[in-house]
Amino acid sequence: MNKRKKYIFGNWKSNKDSVEVREWFKTFTSFYKQAKNLLTPDLEIVIFPSFTYLPLANTLIKEYQVPLKLGSQDISPFGKGAWTGEVAADQLSEWVNYVIIGHSERRNNFHEKDSLLQKKVEEALRGNLIPVYCIQDENTHIPSGVTIVAYEPVWAIGTGKTDSPENAGSVANSVKRNKNIKIVIYGGSVKPDNIDGFLQDKNIDGVLPGGASLDAKVFWELIKHVAGV
Ligand code: PEP
């Protein structure tokens, strides 16, 4: 029987310069080399660096031969063209498989509303990118075409407080049943000492750590938990 696929998505936000990106990969690779068979195909490990470091991260993935994929933290709601400052799906698809859409930091600090997020999802799908759509609770609108949802209660992001695995599992269950979503992951202060509760819930398919993904050693610890070691 196939093992259920598990997802671990590291959101780097506006952190790291090129030296730090290189350091992260060097450290990550040193752990990976000691336990290569831990990263089986049923584990989907994706990091989300800033736009500027996607090509570098892509080069380092190839150079170190680590089974990581890339995602972007945002996407333009428009295609290529006269949209100063935006990065379009067709540009991103050169580097990434996934894109985070609707993160609460973008909803709150950049006033992104459902109608704009809908356009971003449409653009991602048009560019064959997989949207990782962030919801704050089970009532958040989810645009059609979304298959992966990250349940991230605002008060748990970067605060050290987590939702209970029971409540996160119940939100995941509700979204799967009522909105026909296939994959639900949990985000909000995930750390090595609290990840297991979320992974044990049958409706939670993985995690989206922010802060804990910045340190390659801590990220590797999280991966070990997801791999069940
Ligand atoms: C996030 O970046 O979406 C997040 C959940 O961050 P943190 O793990 O730091 O709370």
Side-chain angles (χ1 to χ4, degrees), residues 11 13 103 105 152 156-159 187-191 208-212:
N11 179 13
K13 312 192 186 192
H103 194 283
E105 287 160 8
E152 300 208 305
I157 297 178
T159 60
S189 297
V190 170
K191 301 279 181 294
L208 197 167

Side-chain angles (χ1 to χ4, degrees), residues 13-204:
K13 312 192 186 192
S14 299
N15 289 295
K16 298 196 186 297
D17 56 28
S18 60
V19 172
E20 291 164 331
V21 172
R22 284 180 199 281
E23 272 305 310
W24 190 96
F25 271 91
K26 212 168 135 197
T27 308
F28 183 87
T29 306
S30 68
F31 289 109
Y32 171 62
K33 275 191 180 157
Q34 291 165 32
K36 277 191 175 178
N37 43 15
L38 212 65
L39 305 199
T40 49
D42 54 294
L43 279 191
E44 186 79 340
I45 309 171
V46 187
I47 53 167
F48 295 75
S50 301
F51 288 134
T52 39
Y53 301 115
L54 290 172
L56 174 61
N58 182 58
T59 300
L60 293 170
I61 285 172
K62 287 186 187 144
E63 192 176 309
Y64 288 121
Q65 298 185 6
V66 283
L68 298 176
K69 290 185 180 164
L70 290 176
S72 64
Q73 300 169 20
D74 194 16
I75 184 170
S76 172
F78 308 108
K80 273 181 176 168
W83 307 105
T84 303
E86 291 296 319
V87 186
D90 298 318
Q91 300 172 302
L92 287 172
S93 60
E94 212 177 317
W95 309 108
V96 307
N97 300 102
Y98 292 88
V99 53
I100 294 174
I101 298 177
H103 194 283
S104 59
E105 287 160 8
R106 297 219 54 93
R107 290 179 193 261
N108 297 338
N109 300 317
F110 302 95
H111 315 293
E112 297 196 353
K113 299 276 179 286
D114 287 350
S115 54
L116 179 78
L117 298 174
Q118 168 96 37
K119 290 179 80 180
K120 292 190 175 198
V121 167
E122 285 164 13
E123 276 303 303
L125 296 174
R126 192 184 57 73
N128 285 322
L129 304 176
I130 303 171
V132 179
Y133 198 78
C134 299
I135 63 166
Q136 286 64 54
D137 56 49
E138 63 248 78
N139 300 318
T140 307
H141 171 74
I142 303 173
S144 65
V146 168
T147 53
I148 304 188
V149 153
Y151 164 54
E152 300 208 305
V154 180
W155 51 265
I157 297 178
T159 60
K161 295 183 195 137
T162 62
D163 200 349
S164 66
E166 295 71 31
N167 192 57
S170 136
V171 172
N173 183 32
S174 151
V175 168
K176 285 184 172 183
R177 278 164 165 263
N178 303 328
K179 305 201 173 165
N180 200 23
I181 296 296
K182 298 276 174 287
I183 299 158
V184 180
I185 61 176
Y186 168 79
S189 297
V190 170
K191 301 279 181 294
D193 63 2
N194 61 31
I195 188 173
D196 286 343
F198 300 104
L199 297 173
Q200 275 153 17
D201 191 287
K202 67 179 189 322
N203 287 302
I204 299 178

